[in-house]
């Protein structure tokens, strides 16, 4: 199940499902540790360590699934290895920084996490490159082999015509062979003259003998 290749559509839906799962698990981590109201009223520091640990563990688990889906999609499209590994490494860094951000975030309306936002944009770009990879088997060599007429099977309407041409060719070959056999010289039953030019004796009597 986790080793087969996946196409573009499946990769898109798998990624969307992981995004929803990540949001749901984050909410569950908040509710299961300090609560939504407790998180809003808490101060950055040790009071959020349990929440940060829970977010880190669940995020790394989701990163494993995300890396597996990206690897299967990249293998299906024969994508570049450095793009795949960059996506995996950046996803891991994003999970770690996201857990660290929970410790220091302030709910005062200020957005001071520009580095995390840039990393998120880089992840989106790498994900789009992996998604847009072409399907494997579209090379020129495969195209040339697909144009070979050795194993050509004509469609239904043309199959009878192809069979008719094949039968005509077979008949023409048979007629040519028969004509060649008929045109071959037939050995004569009359004896040939001897080398000295003297005629052989006749069939009746012994006239002509010396």
């Amino acid at each position: 199940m986790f080793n087969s290749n996946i196409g573009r559509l499946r990769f898109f839906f798998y990624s969307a499902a992981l995004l929803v799962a990540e949001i749901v698990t984050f909410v569950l981590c908040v509710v299961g540790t300090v609560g939504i109201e407790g998180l809003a009223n808490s101060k950055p520091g040790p009071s959020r360590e349990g929440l940060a640990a829970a977010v880190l563990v669940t995020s790394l688990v989701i990163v494993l699934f995300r890396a597996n889906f990206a690897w299967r999609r990249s293998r299906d499209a024969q994508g570049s290895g450095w793009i795949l590994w960059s996506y995996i490494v950046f996803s891991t860094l994003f999970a770690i920084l996201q857990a660290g951000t929970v410790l220091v975030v302030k709910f005062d309306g200020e957005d001071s996490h520009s580095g995390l936002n840039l990393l998120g944009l880089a992840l989106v770009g790498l994900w789009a490159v992996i998604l847009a990879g072409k399907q494997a088997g579209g090379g020129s060599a495969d195209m040339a082999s697909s144009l070979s007429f050795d194993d050509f099977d004509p469609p239904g309407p043309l199959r009878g015509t192809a069979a008719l041409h094949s039968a005509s060719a077979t008949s023409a070959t048979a007629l040519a062979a028969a004509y060649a056999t008929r045109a071959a010289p037939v050995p004569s039953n009359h004896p040939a003259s001897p080398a000295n030019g003297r005629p052989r004796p006749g069939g009746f009597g012994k006239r002509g003998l010396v």
Side-chain angles (χ1 to χ4, degrees):
M1 177 179 180
F2 293 99
N3 293 326
S4 61
N5 298 345
I6 56 178
R8 293 178 182 174
L9 189 61
R10 289 176 61 189
F11 179 68
F12 177 82
F13 283 114
Y14 286 174
S15 300
L18 283 179
L19 180 60
V20 174
E22 187 174 10
I23 296 173
V24 171
T25 53
F26 181 83
V27 174
L28 292 177
C29 289
V30 173
V31 173
T33 53
V34 297
I36 297 178
E37 186 177 354
L39 177 62
N41 297 328
S42 64
K43 294 182 180 180
S47 61
R48 300 180 183 175
E49 289 180 355
L51 173 61
V55 171
L56 178 61
V57 171
T58 55
S59 297
L60 289 179
V61 172
I62 292 178
V63 166
L64 290 178
F65 284 96
R66 186 173 286 123
N68 178 265
F69 296 151
W71 169 66
R72 291 162 62 186
R73 170 59 190 150
S74 180
R75 185 180 63 180
D76 179 69
Q78 296 182 353
S80 178
W82 71 269
I83 294 179
L84 173 64
W85 284 107
S86 298
Y87 179 75
I88 295 174
V89 171
F90 285 1
S91 297
T92 306
L93 290 177
F94 188 86
I96 296 174
L97 293 178
Q98 181 176 247
T101 303
V102 174
L103 291 173
V104 299
V105 66
K106 296 180 180 179
F107 300 98
D108 52 4
E110 295 182 2
D111 187 8
S112 58
H113 310 292
S114 57
L116 190 64
N117 295 334
L118 291 176
L119 183 59
L121 290 176
L123 276 174
V124 172
L126 291 172
W127 175 85
V129 172
I130 296 175
L131 174 67
K134 295 182 178 180
Q135 196 76 10
S140 57
D142 295 333
M143 185 178 296
S145 63
S146 65
L147 294 178
S148 176
F149 293 95
D150 295 337
D151 300 327
F152 177 71
D153 188 13
L158 298 180
R159 195 167 296 163
T161 306
L164 180 61
H165 283 294
S166 178
S168 300
T170 305
S171 301
T173 304
L175 290 175
Y179 179 78
T181 304
R182 186 181 302 174
V186 180
S188 176
N189 294 328
H190 299 286
S193 300
N196 54 9
R198 300 180 65 180
R200 283 178 170 266
F204 299 95
K206 297 184 178 180
R207 294 181 180 182
L209 293 178
V210 179

